[in-house]
């Protein structure tokens, strides 16, 4: 229950951070501010010392926000979306397994091989597959109405989730040197459990994702939420 509450709160906070602002309201606000002389601007003219602070920025200019590196990250998403999303997932899976080992492990030394294996999975599969899948899904079902959002959530959880989990267990098995018979048994035993775990969390998260988050920001939003879920997957996949 505490995990669900934490994921819910994080989802709302992440949505407010990553969601695309209304163009019309921004445009209207900018037009209003543009009509005010600079020396009478309520922010700029407040005080000379204040205007020099990075917290007091010219609202007529679009910047990367208060998050360090956010503007550079968005530029990387525009210029090199595939590698940027792959690196985003690498970090997400790294943190997910690191926290799983620290808080759900036996208290022994870090398993660096496992940490590297799961981080690599984020880089070579989660990021790239998410990039292509969500671009495809958004191109086929456009809009953020209730029908479109619920359709995307259904496709993600009913079709994509089992495929993703199957690839996940297959990857772990191959990295561990298991034969296909052993991998098949692992999938048979744990696939439903993994999907059920997903269905308890991700439908709500994806309602926010598909309603408020832009296509290019989907993976960074999901990775922010998924760190906690990756702890569950890391524990399930390596038990």
């Amino acid at each position: 229950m505490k995990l669900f509450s934490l994921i819910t709160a994080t989802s709302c906070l992440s949505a407010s951070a990553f969601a695309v602002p209304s163009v019309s309201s921004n445009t209207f606000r900018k037009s209003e501010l543009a009509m005010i002389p600079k020396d009478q601007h309520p922010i700029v003219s407040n005080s000379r010392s204040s205007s020099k602070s990075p917290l007091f920025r010219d609202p007529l200019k679009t910047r990367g926000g208060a998050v360090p590196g956010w503007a550079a990250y968005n530029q990387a998403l525009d210029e090199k979306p595939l590698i940027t999303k792959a690196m985003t997932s690498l970090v997400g899976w790294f943190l997910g397994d690191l926290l799983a080992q620290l808080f759900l492990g036996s208290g022994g030394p870090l398993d660096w091989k496992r940490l590297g294996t799961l981080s690599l999975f984020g880089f070579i599969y989660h990021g790239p597959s998410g990039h292509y899948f969500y671009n495809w899904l958004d191109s086929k079902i456009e809009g953020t109405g209730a029908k479109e959002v619920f359709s995307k959530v259904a496709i993600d959880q009913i079709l994509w989730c089992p495929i993703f989990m199957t690839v996940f267990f297959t990857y772990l098995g191959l990295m561990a040197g298991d034969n296909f018979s052993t991998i098949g048994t692992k999938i048979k035993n744990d696939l439903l459990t993994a999907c059920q775990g997903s269905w308890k969390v991700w439908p709500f998260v994806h309602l926010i994702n598909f309603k408020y988050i832009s296509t290019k920001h989907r993976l960074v939003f999901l990775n922010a939420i998924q760190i906690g879920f990756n702890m569950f997957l890391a524990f399930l996949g390596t038990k």
Side-chain angles (χ1 to χ4, degrees), residues 68-110:
W70 182 243
Y73 179 77
N74 276 281
Q75 183 178 354
L77 279 174
D78 292 332
E79 297 177 354
K80 299 179 180 179
L82 184 60
I83 188 65
T84 302
K85 292 175 184 178
M87 290 299 298
T88 300
S89 290
L90 183 151
V91 173
W93 282 78
F94 174 85
L95 291 176
D97 185 52
L98 178 64
L99 294 175
Q101 291 195 47
L102 292 177
F103 297 107
L104 301 179
S106 59
L110 284 178

Side-chain angles (χ1 to χ4, degrees), residues 147-224:
K147 180 181 178 181
E148 291 79 11
V149 170
F150 279 100
S151 296
K152 290 180 181 181
V153 172
I155 292 173
D156 183 273
Q157 291 300 295
I158 297 174
L159 298 179
W160 181 245
C161 178
I163 294 174
F164 177 84
M165 295 299 182
T166 299
V167 174
F168 175 69
F169 289 127
T170 301
Y171 167 83
L172 289 183
L174 292 175
M175 294 298 286
D178 296 337
N179 56 43
F180 284 102
S181 176
T182 302
I183 294 173
T185 301
K186 176 72 174 179
I187 293 173
K188 181 180 178 180
N189 292 337
D190 290 340
L191 179 60
L192 181 58
T193 301
C195 289
Q196 287 175 335
S198 174
W199 296 334
K200 292 177 182 178
V201 175
W202 289 104
F204 173 77
V205 173
H206 280 301
L207 285 176
I208 298 175
N209 177 31
F210 293 124
K211 178 67 176 179
Y212 298 107
I213 309 301
S214 65
T215 301
K216 78 173 186 177
H217 289 132
R218 292 209 193 286
L219 275 178
V220 66
F221 168 74
L222 293 179
N223 272 286

